[in-house]
Amino acid sequence: MNMHQLKIFSPIGQEREIVDEIADFDDFGRKTEVFFNDGIRYFVNEFWTARQRQSNNLHEISYRACFKAELPRFFIERLTAFGELVYDPFMGRGTTLLEANLLGRAVAGNDINPLSLRLIEPRLNPPAFRLVERRLDEIRLVRPTEKSDQELLAFYHPDTLVEIVALKSRLLEREDQGKLDGIDRWIRMVAVNRLTGHSSGFFSVYSLPPNQAVSVDSQLKINERRNQTPDYRDVKAIIKKKSKNLLSAGGRNSISPPLLLTGSSSSTPQLPDGAVSLIVTSPPFLDIVNYQQDNWLRCWFCGIDAQSIRIDKHKTVGDWEGFVKASFREFARVVKSGGHVAFEVGEVRNGTVLLEKHVAKAVAGLPFEFLGVMVNDQEFTKTANCWGVGNNKGGTNTNRICLFRKI
């Protein structure tokens, strides 16, 4: 079978239109509600959340404001065929890339934060667990901690900190020597995800999750409030346990070398013209998430200067609109005719700002047809309700997808 015969959608209309499929979607017992507001077509249904927590274990890496794997899967399955290129210009933890890779697509990703590359690259070609286990057994994690690292005792038992610093130093030395291999990269990725958390599965005493590291002063206050002191955590044992879990469902090596970039979404000369079949992405939403602050400890472990990362933050909607327009100009170059962009936005400022309207304004005049906005209407989990998040309210907690076709 020719790979193009696998597609559900064809831009020249011989097959079912994606807008028709979305409008008729009723997989989870609900018919899609379709309406227009200010000239924008909306589709409301539970398009993917009924299958939450059913994705591959390799996705279980924390990052702020990331979407579930079922979101990109919805579009990848319907709008691409085996071997076609799927791209995420704001890849974060790499959810779109990993899901596309598992589905047999070629992948490309970009992010201004070099931490993103370290989170996704090892999971696109995952090693066998026995090799990870063997490498960890070979490593001796004994090295004096630097004086500058002593403040981290707010998070870690002294012996745990010795092990963390030793592992960090070993990985950075191997990287400087050009000896860092796929197993090292895997170990670094898992260690980064275990730096702080709220259970014995992390290196730290009780803290915030790894995608939102608090400052040293804030951790000291948490310790005082909870009357806690860091207990010893076995770094190698924790990495082994998490690795076994991540690799338990199996992975898939990339069908072609992934293209992973670190830079601006508006300038990606490494991507050829018209190479991309589908973009599924979620850009920064104004200034509601401070990625530099949240990831300072992860950056420390990876030897990245967090203050030097110029992550886009926009105080005004007008500035954000300009950022979106510049990104879509580049998307117009790299997306092929008939290709698609699924661009997630959220309700911000307590729902008073609907970013899809500003996306529509930013993309006007560029070679894209705005097919509509998909609103994933769901029942939130107990965790979300505990934080006071109501359905389809509260910043990044709602999936609203602006869907475009390249013309």
Side-chain angles (χ1 to χ4, degrees):
M1 179 181 286
N2 182 286
M3 72 175 185
H4 290 288
Q5 292 177 306
L6 298 175
K7 298 180 77 169
I8 293 173
F9 166 76
S10 169
I12 55 177
Q14 303 100 320
E15 300 177 47
R16 182 179 177 80
E17 287 278 352
I18 185 63
V19 290
D20 292 335
E21 183 175 349
I22 293 169
D24 292 339
F25 185 88
D26 60 358
D27 286 17
F28 308 131
R30 292 175 56 186
K31 186 80 166 56
T32 301
E33 180 185 359
V34 183
F35 63 90
F36 283 83
N37 182 28
D38 288 344
I40 296 175
R41 177 168 46 187
Y42 286 80
F43 305 91
V44 181
N45 204 335
E46 188 167 7
F47 292 106
W48 44 77
T49 46
R51 293 180 293 178
Q52 272 185 348
R53 304 188 184 280
Q54 300 302 309
S55 56
N56 190 292
N57 285 8
L58 284 168
H59 282 291
E60 293 179 10
I61 297 296
S62 297
Y63 199 76
R64 282 297 299 279
C66 58
F67 45 58
K68 297 288 185 183
E70 289 79 14
L71 188 159
R73 175 181 283 268
F74 182 94
F75 297 102
I76 294 164
E77 289 182 331
R78 289 164 172 79
L79 297 173
T80 67
F82 185 87
E84 292 188 313
L85 182 61
V86 176
Y87 172 51
D88 187 343
F90 310 99
M91 63 183 173
R93 70 171 180 175
T95 305
T96 292
L97 276 67
L98 178 56
E99 193 64 17
N101 186 67
L102 291 168
L103 292 169
R105 275 59 168 177
V107 300
N110 174 73
D111 203 286
I112 197 74
N113 191 344
L115 180 63
S116 290
L117 188 149
R118 290 157 172 78
L119 292 176
I120 181 57
E121 185 181 28
R123 291 179 291 139
L124 295 176
N125 290 291
F129 173 68
R130 60 182 173 77
L131 299 179
V132 176
E133 190 174 37
R134 182 185 305 166
R135 177 67 55 83
L136 286 167
D137 288 340
E138 294 169 353
I139 297 173
R140 293 186 69 248
L141 297 184
V142 180
R143 182 182 295 240
T145 56
E146 299 289 336
K147 188 174 181 181
S148 60
D149 297 328
Q150 293 303 302
E151 65 177 6
L152 297 180
L153 292 172
F155 297 95
Y156 307 115
H157 184 278
D159 293 341
T160 303
L161 183 59
V162 166
E163 294 180 8
I164 293 170
V165 171
L167 181 59
K168 171 195 172 186
S169 300
R170 180 187 188 278
L171 293 171
L172 289 175
E173 286 171 6
R174 286 178 65 83
E175 188 170 35
D176 289 342
Q177 296 165 359
K179 296 180 180 178
L180 200 72
D181 61 17
I183 301 172
D184 291 324
R185 290 185 175 90
W186 176 272
I187 291 170
R188 178 177 62 185
M189 180 270 296
V190 177
V192 161
N193 196 54
R194 300 288 95 187
L195 286 174
T196 61
H198 43 260
S199 74
S200 60
F202 295 88
F203 303 154
S204 74
V205 70
Y206 183 97
S207 184
L208 291 189
N211 62 0
Q212 196 175 356
V214 297
S215 67
V216 171
D217 287 343
S218 294
Q219 184 60 42
L220 289 171
K221 291 175 183 176
I222 292 173
N223 294 350
E224 183 179 1
R225 186 172 66 248
R226 294 176 57 87
N227 192 27
Q228 64 181 18
T229 55
D231 55 336
Y232 172 68
R233 305 288 171 87
D234 187 328
V235 167
K236 291 201 287 187
I238 289 172
I239 294 173
K240 286 181 184 179
K241 183 176 181 180
K242 183 61 179 177
S243 294
K244 189 172 185 179
N245 173 263
L246 290 171
L247 295 167
S248 61
R252 178 177 190 148
N253 289 342
S254 302
I255 63 170
S256 59
L259 177 61
L260 302 176
L261 309 175
T262 301
S264 170
S265 60
S266 60
S267 179
T268 53
Q270 302 91 331
L271 269 171
D273 294 356
V276 174
S277 294
L278 172 66
I279 291 174
V280 184
T281 195
S282 180
F285 299 157
L286 298 176
D287 58 355
I288 64 174
V289 176
N290 190 328
Y291 292 94
Q292 289 164 302
Q293 179 178 298
D294 290 342
N295 289 299
W296 73 269
L297 193 53
R298 289 175 156 195
C299 288
W300 165 82
F301 185 84
C302 293
I304 298 169
D305 179 5
Q307 297 307 311
S308 68
I309 303 169
R310 300 188 178 278
I311 295 175
D312 290 289
K313 289 192 291 184
H314 308 93
K315 293 191 183 229
T316 71
V317 174
D319 289 343
W320 187 81
E321 215 173 89
F323 155 74
V324 172
K325 189 173 191 69
S327 298
F328 265 87
R329 283 199 192 101
E330 183 70 342
F331 301 168
R333 181 186 69 80
V334 303
V335 175
K336 71 179 185 180
S337 178
H340 292 81
V341 178
F343 196 77
E344 190 209 15
V345 297
E347 294 174 357
V348 297
R349 311 275 161 83
N350 294 319
T352 61
V353 177
L354 297 178
L355 291 179
E356 63 265 22
K357 295 183 179 181
H358 298 280
V359 173
K361 185 177 176 183
V363 179
L366 295 174
F368 287 100
E369 178 186 3
F370 192 4
L371 301 179
V373 177
M374 296 175 63
V375 179
N376 194 54
D377 186 32
Q378 67 178 104
E379 290 292 330
F380 276 112
T381 63
K382 285 184 179 179
T383 302
N385 287 327
C386 286
W387 286 98
V389 177
N391 194 29
N392 287 331
K393 295 187 184 296
T396 60
N397 288 287
T398 180
N399 295 136
R400 305 168 71 85
I401 312 296
C402 298
L403 185 60
F404 295 88
R405 178 191 300 149
K406 172 75 180 296
I407 56 175

